[in-house]
Amino acid sequence: MDLGGATLANGDGLEMDDDTLYVVRNRDGLIAKVDLDLDDDGRTGAVTGEITDASFAYPTTVAAVDDRLLVVNSQFDKRGGEPVEPFTVSSVPE
């Protein structure tokens, strides 16, 4: 996908909502918001923002529900160590 030079390093979970693609960038602890050009079959787009939240704990996937994003916190960064229980799902505005 041509993003005009932007990159989506550490991309993991994806969620489409109309012409917006949300890309969870796990290691970066954020969600990139990509506006797709559907006239080009979604092959081009622009990164128009980033969503961060203090509750993110190595987020891996996302689902859009109403006007919110539900984000699974994996804590993959705790492998071999002690994860913080309970595991959580964050809810943030789109």
Side-chain angles (χ1 to χ4, degrees):
M1 172 184 299
D2 181 1
L3 298 175
T7 63
L8 298 171
N10 305 311
D12 196 347
L14 304 172
E15 175 71 8
M16 281 283 296
D17 192 11
D18 296 321
D19 62 348
T20 302
L21 176 67
Y22 295 97
V23 180
V24 179
R25 296 179 54 194
N26 56 25
R27 185 173 293 184
D28 302 311
L30 61 86
I31 300 170
K33 183 177 179 182
V34 180
D35 288 339
L36 299 176
D37 181 356
L38 297 183
D39 292 334
D40 190 27
D41 294 328
R43 291 179 291 184
T44 60
V47 177
T48 58
E50 295 178 342
I51 300 168
T52 60
D53 194 83
S55 68
F56 290 172
Y58 219 98
T60 58
T61 195
V62 62
V65 178
D66 298 324
D67 60 345
R68 306 209 49 92
L69 298 175
L70 301 179
V71 184
V72 175
N73 292 304
S74 72
Q75 300 185 49
F76 285 154
D77 58 328
K78 306 285 191 237
R79 275 189 262 192
E82 294 295 322
V84 177
E85 294 182 347
F87 287 89
T88 61
V89 173
S90 298
S91 176
V92 295
E94 286 186 350

